Amino acid sequence: MKKNINILTNYLNLVDIHIDKTEFEYQLNGHPEFPNILSFSDTLHFFNIDCSIFEIDEEDVELLPKNFLSINDGDFTLEDKKNYDLSTSNVVLLVDKSESFYNEKKKNSLFLWSILLLGALVLSVLLLDFSFFYTGITFLSLSFLGIFLSYEAYKKTHGKGTIIPLGVCQNKMLKTDCDYVFNYKKWKFFDISEISLLFFFSQIISFIVLAIYKDLSFYYFIYKYIFYLFIPISFVSLYYQMIVIKKLCPVCIGIILCVYAQLALLLFLPNPLAKINLFSIILYALFISASALFLLYLKEKINWNSKLKEEIIKSSRFKKNYTFFRNNLAIQKKTLNDDFLSSFNFGTSDSSLTLVLVTNPSCKYCKEFYPTFMRIIYNYSNKINIRLVLDADLDNFSEELRSTYINMASIYENSEDKTTFFVALEEWYNIRTDKNGIDKWNNKYSHLFKNQENVITILNNQKKWRKINDINFTPDIFINGYQYPIEYDRADLEYFLSEMID
């Protein structure tokens, strides 16, 4: 199954969908049907990646995208449409882009913004000493490039998504394979990504300190000799890649070239000799040590989180077992007077499965769960009965809050397509504290703010139902009248819906 995970993530990278591979494996391993294909499709949906599995005929091949996955006896194969052999397997898996996987890009953006801020700090420091201004800019530009490559190498080594194109890291013609090189077992006595991160990060930190102290001549002097020590390390790396492994890693080679470019730059510097200042040596050693300790702390924290996730996986498999969930659900509190509940309904009214959500437009936790609720509406509304209740107490609300709830209910009552109400509520969660956004929202739906006496009656009936069933907190979920077990995260609900429908 490890092979299937690698093939799937390679396919996602090809179609420009970047996910955290470690997190994906964590969620996948926790699926009760793992390692069946169902566990893969459910986990993709959990990451908000739309996927579909099709059984195709000869005439359907032309409709396929350039790249896709074929499925044969539970194994994935990454296919190119030009070379696809339908006789091998006529079952394919396709994915569609959505906004969800841009979360990883946000994390990468945070890293890049951090680097930019650090760069701005370095530039400010360089202005203190114009004698090495252009040399410093060139030298540190290579340092930042080195940090970027080292960070991407680190993500590769630890199974996380990378923004480096798949064609660069894996190319049969050029014999490149970053994953194979990084995970080669026989040279695990050192991790080139961690060493490189420490090397370039400490370069920048020590540069800032010695530039402020106005002793950059010592900085360049000492790094010149450190670079000489790097030469044998680079030859060992190239030897393993070209002779032993017989696979090249473009990222590793890029890191090596950065160091050699810095060495070449220092060889052309005038006045190579520098005064050996004891205080400069102490400053340099102190901040190199601080950099090492900082990176070591981050590594230990990552390792601890990984071990914690492994423990969670063991309990997660048991917890996400449907039989256990069903038995747990059956002993929960059951609601009363459901036949008289004046809820906002959607979906299939005669379904054997009824899902009730009690929510509050002002509730932060309701906002967090609502995207999951909207996915349930889009994916299961043709199979289940979906009912929504607003936690409204019109008698004790301020005039502004009272008006909000009445307007919200009016949208449901007066719209022809009831999906309008659920979309309006989703929009409200995104603008609920933005006055300009609220004004625009009111203008957009104002044509539906009518027949409010009837709406007030509905909200009051919902209040009576909540009072009878002692429902005081939101969001609260009920499945066929049974309260959703507190032991489960609300997002876990998606795991069990398909089982409950069957």
Side-chain angles (χ1 to χ4, degrees), residues 292-307:
L293 290 172
F294 175 71
L295 292 178
L296 182 63
Y297 164 75
L298 289 181
K299 181 184 176 182
E300 288 299 317
K301 190 172 182 181
I302 290 170
N303 290 339
W304 185 84
N305 286 336
S306 298
K307 290 179 181 178

Side-chain angles (χ1 to χ4, degrees), residues 230-232 234-235 238 255-265:
F230 179 81
I231 292 174
S234 66
F235 276 108
L238 292 172
I255 292 170
I256 291 170
L257 289 176
C258 280
V259 177
Y260 275 100
Q262 287 180 320
L263 175 59
L265 178 67

Side-chain angles (χ1 to χ4, degrees), residues 65 90 98 244 295-296 314 412 431 453 487-488:
N90 68 334
S98 65
V244 179
L295 292 178
L296 182 63
K314 294 176 183 177
Y412 176 85
I431 53 95
E453 287 301 321
E487 293 84 4
Y488 290 84

